[in-house]
Amino acid sequence: MRLPEPFGRHIWKKKKRGSAPLIATESTMKARVHVMLKDGVLDPQGEAVRHALGGLGFDGVEKVRQGKVIELDLADGTSEDTVREMCEKLLANTVIESYQIELS
Amino acid sequence: MRLPEPFGRHIWKKKKRGSAPLIATESTMKARVHVMLKDGVLDPQGEAVRHALGGLGFDGVEKVRQGKVIELDLADGTSEDTVREMCEKLLANTVIESYQIELS
């Protein structure tokens, strides 16, 4: 069930028989993007979760908002501006959604 | 479009005419739950995002995983164990999903 990983495959192809184990010189960076509905935009999914939690006997749940989180493995050196452009163009609908970027 | 907030309504009802502005004594805590598909579980949404980013000209996107983030406003004093129980019972399908809890 595991997806083939381009990074791993690449290293495997470069390894020569009998040579010492390759140390990966090509590193990756990770970005995590949170996409949430803006305040004031109705969130039926979050409302459904709040209602269901109440039905299960969890008291004190006052508000629930549900959003998306997208984890990206990027080539090293990718700038935050590039990730921001990905958000603006594809990952978030900026009319109703806001996004936060975490790089690591 | 803003949902009525039970917390705000409660305070409003308690306020007496002519009295000093009420200071909220009942405070809330926030929990953020990340739900991601476990490693090895096929993520077609993430795959679609990766493909679309490639199509938009973003190079170097090696892997994308998409998950959910759920933000909960809880009554003060709710324990992490309670949030964990919410995850186990409702928020995550623990057969294929893992979750992370952040309290603040």
Side-chain angles (χ1 to χ4, degrees):
Chain A
M1 287 276 276
R2 197 171 190 118
L3 289 174
E5 290 174 310
F7 180 62
R9 222 167 45 216
H10 178 64
I11 295 299
W12 179 254
K13 275 183 187 159
K14 278 172 86 178
K15 192 176 183 296
K16 288 185 194 122
R17 197 183 304 179
S19 64
L22 262 182
I23 295 162
T25 49
E26 199 183 337
S27 61
T28 57
M29 57 180 281
K30 283 182 185 285
R32 188 184 248 193
V33 177
H34 286 105
V35 180
M36 298 295 293
L37 284 167
K38 286 180 179 171
D39 273 347
V41 179
L42 210 64
D43 178 5
Q45 267 189 305
E47 234 352 65
V49 169
R50 194 183 62 79
H51 191 253
L53 286 172
L56 286 171
F58 293 104
D59 297 322
V61 182
E62 293 173 2
K63 193 177 160 192
V64 180
R65 303 286 284 174
Q66 184 169 331
K68 290 182 291 186
V69 56
I70 300 149
E71 286 181 359
L72 304 149
D73 286 10
L74 300 166
D76 212 18
T78 308
S79 70
E80 189 170 336
D81 282 347
T82 308
V83 182
R84 195 174 304 283
E85 209 183 325
M86 290 178 189
C87 292
E88 295 282 339
K89 284 193 178 166
L90 184 78
L91 304 180
N93 175 356
T94 52
V95 177
I96 54 166
E97 291 172 329
S98 59
Y99 59 86
Q100 275 184 323
I101 298 169
E102 279 169 38
L103 295 180
S104 58
Chain B
M1 287 278 276
R2 197 171 196 122
L3 287 174
E5 288 173 313
F7 180 61
R9 223 168 38 216
H10 178 61
I11 294 299
W12 179 252
K13 276 182 190 160
K14 277 173 86 177
K15 193 177 181 299
K16 289 185 193 122
R17 196 184 305 179
S19 64
L22 263 181
I23 294 160
T25 49
E26 200 184 339
S27 61
T28 57
M29 55 181 283
K30 283 183 185 287
R32 189 183 248 190
V33 177
H34 286 104
V35 180
M36 299 295 294
L37 285 166
K38 285 180 178 170
D39 272 349
V41 178
L42 210 62
D43 178 5
Q45 267 189 306
E47 237 349 70
V49 169
R50 196 184 61 81
H51 191 252
L53 285 172
L56 285 171
F58 293 104
D59 297 324
V61 182
E62 291 173 3
K63 193 178 161 193
V64 180
R65 303 286 282 172
Q66 185 169 330
K68 288 183 290 185
V69 58
I70 300 150
E71 287 182 358
L72 304 151
D73 287 10
L74 300 166
D76 212 19
T78 308
S79 69
E80 187 170 340
D81 283 348
T82 308
V83 182
R84 197 175 303 284
E85 212 184 324
M86 291 178 190
C87 292
E88 295 282 339
K89 283 194 180 167
L90 183 78
L91 304 179
N93 174 356
T94 52
V95 177
I96 55 166
E97 291 171 329
S98 59
Y99 59 87
Q100 275 184 323
I101 298 169
E102 281 169 38
L103 295 181
S104 57

